[in-house]
Each structure stands twice: as C-alpha cells, then as structure tokens.
Amino acid sequence: MTYKIIDPHLHFFNLTDGEYHWLKSVNPPYWSDKQNIHRSFSEQDLILAPELTLMGFVHIEAGFDNRQPSRELAWLESSCRLSFKTIASTNLMLKTHEFKKQIDELIAYNSLVGVRHILDADALSILQSKTSFANLSYLEECDLIFELQADLADSETVNLIVKILEDLPLKSLNVVINHAGFPPVEQHSAHFTNWTNGIKKLSQNPNVSIKCSGWEMTDRHYSNTFIAEVVDTAVRIFGFHRVMLASNFPLCTFSKSYEAFWLDIVSTLNKLDVTELQKKALLHDNAFSIYFDRS
C-alpha cells in the first residue's frame, strides 16, 4: 500500500539569512540536545520511504525574523519547489494599526494562509488583552487561520479561548490546534483527563481543527502507544475530518528520522480501527481542505 502525505506542520531553517534566536544555546528553550537541530534545513531533507509520497507541506513560522515575518515568506517562496502553504509569525500584542499593517504585508504572499503567536505559558495574559481580541478579529475579517499553541489541559485557558471564539464579530475564525494541545504522556492521569476535556470543549466549535504532532516535545522517547492513544482520542472527539497528522520536522529528529516518523505513523494507523479512506483523510485530505482548498 502506498500513501500520499501532506505534512501540515514543519519548519525549515536558513541560518545564513535568518535570526532564529531560540536556536542559540544562550536562549530558551534550554534543551540539552538543541544543538542537534542548529543547522539549516530545507526540502532536500524531507526523505521518505518509497511507499510514502510527500504531496506538499505547511511551513509553520520558525523564528526567521519575528519583527519582519514577511522575510521568512519571501525566502520560502523563492526557494521551495513542492506545493506548500505558510503560517507566518505574528504578535497579537502589537498595536492594532501595526498589526493590520503587518497582516496586510503578509497577505501579499501567495503561500500565506494564516499566522501563529506561540502562547504557551503566556496564553492567559495575552488572550485577556483587548488588543489581542481586536487583532484576532482582524484575522477573522481577513479569513486567515490562527494556529493555537497552548496547554489545553489548562481549563482557564480553554474557557477563555471558547469565549473569545464566541465573542468574535463573525464567529468564523478558523483555529488549528498545534501539537494536539500538548497531551501528557501519563494517559491515565488527571492531567490527561483535563487535556481530553479541554479539546472536547474546543471541538464544539466547528471552526476548530487539531494537528497531532510534537510528540518529542513532551517525551523524546515517546512510544507508538502514546501516538495511538492521542490520535484515537482526537478522532473520537473531533471526528475524522478535523484531525491531521504532522511531523514538526526537524524537531521530530530529536527522536527519529523524518522517514522513520512517518513509517511509525502509518504503522500505528494500521493497528487502529481505521479504514483506508480515514487514513487518507488523516494523512492528506484534511490538510488539503484546511490549508490548500480554502473555498
């Protein structure tokens, strides 16, 4: 069996022209193995087994230049040859006139489909701001995707996100959860239950989708059993048409090669109660409809 893949969450690095402050050892995150990815990465590094075909990808901002995020898009559009879309960096706390100017500059790039502001531990303070609400409203007006990266086991954060989505003027902002909202490895813990409850609340909004990726962010030695549990939970909650599987390349290489990652994903799906059509949706079709075919 051969499988077509759209990888909806990966990063390339251009250390010659970009800044990438987070990759430097003096800056967080203080991972002991961070030097393993401190080099440039491009399409040429996306090596797959013969039974897998990469049809396209979604490039998620990687810190090329967070003050001028259009520079990253300009580099990608001049260097990438595969079919791809981009999620640019942005700052939801910019004054709204500055934010609108930045978004208007980004929209000029054909690959742009949305933006990301990594919320993580600052989610509450950022999302409680009237400025961020106004800026999210402008994203909604522009029909752009907001990539949501936060700990969704935190009920306060989840409840605030739910309220924001309900209060937005058009109630139509498309949100994609990054790294499945960071499910904990302890699958029978209160933390895992909180995470499950969090994504369940967000799933009630039909404009919210979820990407299962970033396993290595939680545990460098994660198991395929963990993948299966998270994917199964996400599918039960969101259904097969709002779940995507992604690599988080090159961070996935903290644990295994790009090729081994996707082989493990397919192997895990083969062990779940998943039809061939459902596998196709998880590996390709959902990413295509959410990022590429935005009609």
Side-chain angles (χ1 to χ4, degrees):
M1 179 67 70
T2 59
Y3 293 98
K4 294 179 180 179
I5 293 170
I6 290 178
D7 189 341
H9 195 112
L10 57 71
H11 315 276
F12 296 147
F13 304 157
N14 174 358
L15 266 57
T16 302
D17 301 318
E19 296 176 352
Y20 305 101
H21 295 303
W22 69 277
L23 278 177
K24 297 172 183 175
S25 59
V26 295
N27 296 325
Y30 299 112
W31 299 328
S32 61
D33 52 0
K34 188 162 69 171
Q35 72 276 4
N36 294 346
I37 60 167
H38 192 266
R39 67 174 182 86
S40 293
F41 288 93
S42 69
E43 283 180 332
Q44 283 65 49
D45 296 294
L46 303 178
I47 299 169
L48 287 175
E51 60 267 37
L52 305 174
T53 303
L54 187 64
M55 304 301 294
F57 59 85
V58 181
H59 184 278
I60 310 297
E61 62 86 14
F64 184 105
D65 184 344
N66 289 343
R67 291 167 299 178
Q68 292 182 275
S70 60
R71 291 186 61 220
E72 184 173 50
L73 271 61
W75 165 60
L76 291 164
E77 292 196 359
S78 68
S79 60
C80 293
R81 297 295 173 261
L82 286 169
S83 178
F84 75 100
K85 295 296 180 182
T86 53
I87 297 293
S89 172
T90 196
N91 182 353
L92 289 178
M93 298 304 290
L94 284 175
K95 293 179 180 178
T96 300
H97 72 277
E98 295 176 0
F99 183 85
K100 288 183 175 181
K101 181 182 177 184
Q102 183 182 85
I103 296 301
D104 291 346
E105 290 175 357
L106 291 169
I107 288 173
Y109 291 85
N110 292 330
S111 63
L112 183 86
V113 289
V115 298
R116 179 172 78 161
H117 180 152
I118 297 176
L119 302 175
D120 285 353
D122 298 319
L124 280 176
S125 61
I126 293 169
L127 294 175
Q128 286 170 341
S129 163
K130 291 181 180 179
T131 299
S132 69
F133 182 84
N135 291 339
L136 287 169
S137 299
Y138 190 62
L139 289 181
E140 178 183 56
E141 181 183 330
C142 295
D143 191 27
L144 291 174
I145 294 167
F146 178 65
E147 297 275 317
L148 172 63
Q149 182 162 319
D151 178 6
L152 300 184
D154 184 330
S155 60
E156 196 174 357
T157 296
V158 170
N159 291 337
L160 180 55
I161 295 166
V162 168
K163 186 177 187 310
I164 288 170
L165 295 179
E166 290 173 347
D167 290 347
L168 285 170
L170 302 176
K171 296 179 173 53
S172 64
L173 179 65
N174 290 302
V175 174
V176 177
I177 297 169
N178 285 194
H179 306 321
F182 297 108
V185 176
E186 303 81 12
Q187 295 159 40
H188 302 290
S189 64
H191 193 188
F192 195 88
T193 300
N194 291 340
W195 167 77
T196 302
N197 291 336
I199 65 169
K200 191 176 293 183
K201 284 183 181 179
L202 286 167
S203 74
Q204 293 169 14
N205 187 313
N207 299 313
V208 178
S209 304
I210 188 167
K211 283 187 289 196
C212 296
S213 61
W215 320 95
E216 71 291 333
M217 303 279 281
T218 304
D219 180 4
R220 296 289 198 258
H221 306 288
Y222 67 88
S223 67
N224 287 356
T225 301
F226 179 46
I227 294 177
E229 182 68 23
V230 172
V231 172
D232 186 59
T233 303
V235 165
R236 282 192 290 105
I237 291 172
F238 281 86
F240 277 100
H241 298 295
R242 287 193 288 155
V243 179
M244 295 171 280
L245 303 177
S247 71
N248 197 32
F249 179 85
L251 280 73
C252 65
T253 63
F254 284 135
S255 301
K256 60 192 71 174
S257 71
Y258 190 68
E259 179 179 61
F261 170 82
W262 282 109
L263 287 173
D264 277 357
I265 289 290
V266 171
S267 174
T268 301
L269 291 180
N270 287 338
K271 293 174 184 176
L272 292 173
D273 185 18
V274 178
T275 68
E276 289 304 315
L277 279 177
Q278 289 165 341
K279 288 178 198 171
K280 189 169 176 281
L282 295 171
L283 293 169
H284 178 278
D285 293 357
N286 296 342
F288 180 79
S289 63
I290 290 167
Y291 290 106
F292 289 80
D293 185 23
R294 306 194 65 239
S295 53

